[in-house]
Amino acid sequence: METPTRAEPVAQEDKTKLLKSAFLQFCRNDLVGAQTVTDELFPAESDGEEGAELDTVVTRINLDLVDDYPASDPRWAESVPDESTGFPLTSLIIFHQLEDKMKAHGCFMDFLLQVGLLDRLSQTAVRSSPMATRLLLCEHAEKLQAAMVLKNHHAKHANIVNPAISAALQKNNAAVPPSLTPADVFFREVSQVSSVFECLLEEEERSLKENPVDSVQWAEVILTINNIIKDMLQAAGHYREAKASMYRASESAAAEPEYIPWTASGGVGGVRTIISRQYEIILRSVYPHADSELRGALCEQLVALLDIYLNGYVAQLTSLQQQRLPGSQQERYNSLEMEYNQRRSELLAPLLELGQYQWVAALAEKYCDFDILVQMCEQSDNQSRLQHYMAKFADQNFADFLFRWYMEKGKRGKLLSQPAAQHQQLAGFLQSHQHLSWLHHIRVHDFHSAHRTLYDQASTETRYFVKKKTLLALSKLTALASDMPQDHLNKQVNDIVEQERFLLHQETLPRQLLEEKQLNPDSMPLLSAHNLIQLYICDDNRRANEYDFKKALDLLEYIDEGDAVDIDSLKCEIFGKALRRDE
């Protein structure tokens, strides 16, 4: 076969035909001939423009494979276009057998690998976004798998699938020749197989309205459609996982764009949109009217659909994580992760409210929704399950999440009543929450640490009088209960007693004076020695006696040099006020 030389540019349509010919040579075991044609069409030293053309041509050929007309079927004779871009009658495609299209796809992937084109593929625009071309080829195969599953359901549930297929063809403006059935036409164009989902839901909603709630048809239609969608998407996902190595990029490949599987596509008719819509239909229109047996079956199906839904987000996040790109890509990752966390919570919370703990646990454990897991354990009062999660998710700091959750919800009793196995982790967590850590120290009989924490808090408390007084009292009690050496204990206790003696001056302020100054004994601020002196000797302290002025003089010893107060002048002021009051 002659091919144009490098000096003679080849139109993209011609390159498609020539690469198809090379593929057919490969299928006839003429690897040398196939390699020669390929090298001339796409030389290894080709520039970026030709590289992009390679992606387009390869994608076009694979699409032609999965959407090929079964020309050997006489019923299609009048429907095959004159200038069909499909393969000749001698190609691998056999009449209307999706399995053979899958075999042809496998051969094409082998061809790309053998002639050295697979590792040269870059990316292609799909659904208005770039996608690695290898993954688009995988998508075509996944849709073949989904179509085979749909075909099986079509045989069993023609009364449901046929109307949906006809509606899908009508929306796509696809004509059905007299010699063919709608199913013939629909299953020919495998790349559009997902268009059936929206039509299935429309058929479902119509059936739910037409049939009474207590009829067999009412329940059967939604169970059947759930199974069809679930089985199709699971078949696609299983193929993606099983054949991952076939479509994996080489280690030297450049960073790829964000991967959005077709099973995670949004927008009108997108799979993510379809699952969300089905979720709403089930919980709002079906579940409230279902008996316990039907509810169990619905929840099992719904969880399988939500698994597919959430797994799509994971695939996207994983693809972004592998790029390790700064700036806008990191912002995209953070934004998508936030959306994922929000949607995960929105989808699982209603199931939790319905008490479907078994199914909620299955998804929350798989997708690490710690908030839902904690809520579930709290609602069902299942502390042993919480302990199980602490061990299971220890490397993901589940315990810290639980402790923070208790803090935020005000459940401090539960926070501090953790079993002995969690004491070490709890102690580490409480290091940044000292207002609670002393309680934990007391619970584990570590009175020395409790004293030290309380004393430190008392020393730094400068706002509230009652709080400082309480902290000092507790600090003294824990010191007395501790096993610290006697000389160190005496020193600590004496220091606390001295601070309490100072606080006693504020505690014994006359009630009439406090009312005059609008000071509440339970919430008044911690006053300095200078402020206390001014209160004791002020004119508002109308019942002041010798004891009040004696306290004012005693308070002089608590004024530090750094307070910028002239102690001698203040002493004169106290005596002067005392003499004038005596008159």
Side-chain angles (χ1 to χ4, degrees):
M1 178 184 297
E2 293 185 5
T3 58
T5 64
R6 186 82 175 104
E8 300 172 344
V10 184
Q12 189 178 104
E13 185 178 346
D14 293 332
K15 282 193 173 184
T16 303
K17 290 179 180 178
L18 289 169
L19 191 59
K20 281 183 180 180
S21 299
F23 172 45
L24 291 174
Q25 284 181 278
F26 174 80
C27 294
R28 290 192 291 267
N29 293 319
D30 183 7
L31 180 57
V32 175
Q35 186 74 63
T36 302
V37 174
T38 303
D39 290 344
E40 291 178 353
L41 284 173
F42 300 103
E45 69 277 5
S46 58
D47 55 25
E49 187 176 336
E50 287 199 0
E53 191 175 36
L54 170 62
D55 290 286
T56 303
V57 169
V58 167
T59 301
R60 180 71 261 168
I61 293 176
N62 198 61
L63 197 60
D64 288 344
L65 273 173
V66 298
D67 288 348
D68 196 20
Y69 288 84
S72 58
D73 178 3
R75 298 178 307 148
W76 278 91
E78 296 179 1
S79 303
V80 179
D82 294 334
E83 297 297 327
S84 172
T85 57
F87 288 81
L89 295 177
T90 54
S91 72
L92 296 177
I93 310 295
I94 300 176
F95 147 69
H96 205 52
Q97 292 190 359
L98 297 169
E99 294 86 351
D100 287 338
K101 286 190 175 185
M102 181 62 79
K103 290 176 185 175
H105 169 79
C107 286
F108 185 59
M109 291 299 298
D110 191 29
F111 163 71
L112 294 175
L113 177 65
Q114 295 294 333
V115 299
L117 291 182
L118 190 59
D119 285 343
R120 291 171 57 189
L121 296 177
S122 180
Q123 59 188 47
T124 309
V126 183
R127 295 181 288 276
S128 303
S129 300
M131 179 190 285
T133 304
R134 293 170 301 93
L135 298 179
L136 178 56
L137 299 179
C138 181
E139 177 177 310
H140 293 162
E142 291 171 24
K143 288 184 175 180
L144 273 167
Q145 290 286 348
M148 284 188 266
V149 170
L150 179 61
K151 186 184 171 198
N152 289 334
H153 278 290
H154 177 240
K156 301 173 189 174
H157 309 288
N159 61 318
I160 292 175
V161 178
N162 270 334
I165 282 176
S166 297
L169 292 175
Q170 191 172 1
K171 286 185 179 182
N172 292 335
N173 297 317
V176 180
S179 59
L180 301 170
T181 67
D184 289 327
V185 177
F186 180 82
F187 282 110
R188 194 275 301 172
E189 197 171 7
V190 173
S191 62
Q192 300 301 313
V193 70
S194 61
S195 63
V196 79
F197 292 138
E198 189 173 23
C199 300
L200 282 170
L201 294 199
E202 290 171 359
E203 179 65 17
E204 173 184 271
E205 290 178 320
R206 182 193 61 76
S207 181
L208 290 175
K209 288 177 183 177
E210 291 180 357
N211 293 301
V213 171
D214 56 354
S215 67
V216 175
Q217 293 87 347
W218 186 85
E220 278 186 351
V221 69
I222 193 158
L223 290 174
T224 300
I225 288 176
N226 277 342
N227 274 331
I228 293 172
I229 297 173
K230 170 180 69 72
D231 292 349
M232 288 176 68
L233 295 176
Q234 284 182 343
H238 291 158
Y239 179 88
R240 188 185 306 151
E241 292 176 13
K243 301 294 184 179
S245 60
M246 186 189 299
Y247 303 95
R248 187 175 294 125
S250 63
E251 294 182 2
S252 60
E256 295 182 346
E258 177 184 348
Y259 174 47
I260 307 176
W262 68 281
T263 52
S265 57
V268 178
V271 172
R272 191 171 282 172
T273 308
I274 293 297
I275 294 177
S276 295
R277 183 173 158 192
Q278 183 71 335
Y279 174 90
E280 295 294 329
I281 292 172
I282 292 172
L283 291 190
R284 292 185 179 181
S285 305
V286 181
Y287 190 92
H289 306 291
D291 57 27
S292 58
E293 184 179 353
L294 179 56
R295 286 182 174 184
L298 285 172
C299 284
E300 184 174 2
Q301 291 177 328
L302 189 55
V303 164
L305 290 173
L306 293 181
D307 184 27
I308 295 164
Y309 184 99
L310 295 174
N311 192 55
Y313 274 109
V314 173
Q316 283 182 258
L317 289 168
T318 302
S319 73
L320 287 170
Q321 206 169 30
Q322 289 172 345
Q323 292 178 8
R324 299 174 185 168
L325 296 176
S328 61
Q329 288 300 92
Q330 185 61 45
E331 290 177 12
R332 167 61 182 157
Y333 181 90
N334 295 340
S335 171
L336 184 64
E337 185 179 40
M338 188 181 299
E339 179 188 328
Y340 164 59
N341 290 335
Q342 181 180 342
R343 285 298 292 147
R344 185 183 62 197
S345 178
E346 290 172 351
L347 293 168
L348 295 184
L351 292 176
L352 183 61
E353 290 176 12
L354 294 172
Q356 295 290 344
Y357 298 139
Q358 174 190 353
W359 302 115
V360 169
L363 286 176
E365 287 178 25
K366 181 174 181 179
Y367 294 100
C368 299
D369 193 326
F370 293 167
D371 185 56
I372 290 291
L373 289 176
V374 173
Q375 286 186 58
M376 180 184 69
C377 293
E378 286 295 301
Q379 284 185 23
S380 57
D381 194 25
N382 194 335
Q383 295 304 306
S384 61
R385 191 160 199 160
L386 267 181
Q387 300 307 312
H388 165 70
Y389 289 145
M390 284 198 216
K392 181 175 182 177
F393 299 113
D395 58 337
Q396 297 178 57
N397 296 320
F398 181 89
D400 274 7
F401 180 91
L402 176 64
F403 300 154
R404 281 197 307 275
W405 193 90
Y406 281 144
M407 286 284 291
E408 291 168 3
K409 303 297 180 183
K411 297 178 179 286
R412 295 177 180 180
K414 286 203 168 184
L415 173 66
L416 296 169
S417 60
Q418 294 299 306
Q422 307 303 328
H423 284 175
Q424 186 174 355
Q425 280 182 290
L426 181 59
F429 173 79
L430 290 174
Q431 283 182 353
S432 56
H433 303 278
Q434 289 202 341
H435 63 293
L436 291 177
S437 63
W438 63 275
L439 288 168
H440 173 66
H441 294 319
I442 289 174
R443 186 167 184 267
V444 298
H445 301 102
D446 185 0
F447 297 109
H448 191 176
S449 295
H451 157 71
R452 188 169 62 248
T453 300
L454 287 162
Y455 183 82
D456 290 344
Q457 284 190 269
S459 300
T460 56
E461 180 55 52
T462 59
R463 293 182 63 188
Y464 298 110
F465 163 74
V466 172
K467 186 175 181 182
K468 188 176 185 78
K469 176 188 168 188
T470 303
L471 288 168
L472 284 171
L474 290 170
S475 176
K476 183 166 64 175
L477 284 172
T478 49
L480 293 169
S482 72
D483 56 358
M484 68 176 73
Q486 191 63 41
D487 56 340
H488 185 52
L489 174 64
N490 292 339
K491 182 180 178 183
Q492 290 294 101
V493 171
N494 289 338
D495 178 67
I496 293 171
V497 168
E498 183 60 28
Q499 292 190 56
E500 289 178 326
R501 191 165 72 86
F502 167 73
L503 294 180
L504 190 61
H505 291 86
Q506 181 166 343
E507 188 176 5
T508 56
L509 282 168
R511 183 169 295 278
Q512 166 269 323
L513 177 62
L514 292 176
E515 292 173 355
E516 193 79 28
K517 296 293 187 180
Q518 296 183 335
L519 291 171
N520 186 330
D522 295 327
S523 60
M524 63 179 166
L526 182 64
L527 301 174
S528 67
H530 185 243
N531 288 335
L532 287 170
I533 290 171
Q534 295 299 331
L535 281 173
Y536 272 113
I537 67 177
C538 71
D539 294 339
D540 288 332
N541 189 10
R542 291 186 293 276
R543 298 176 185 175
N545 55 29
E546 63 272 25
Y547 293 107
D548 291 324
F549 288 99
K550 171 66 167 56
K551 289 177 186 176
L553 288 170
D554 290 342
L555 282 165
L556 289 172
E557 67 177 282
Y558 295 103
I559 296 178
D560 296 326
E561 293 180 4
D563 289 346
V565 175
D566 188 333
I567 295 178
D568 290 335
S569 297
L570 187 55
K571 188 185 295 185
C572 290
E573 183 181 354
I574 295 170
F575 279 116
K577 289 275 184 113
L579 291 171
R580 285 195 291 276
R581 186 64 61 90
D582 194 44
E583 293 174 357

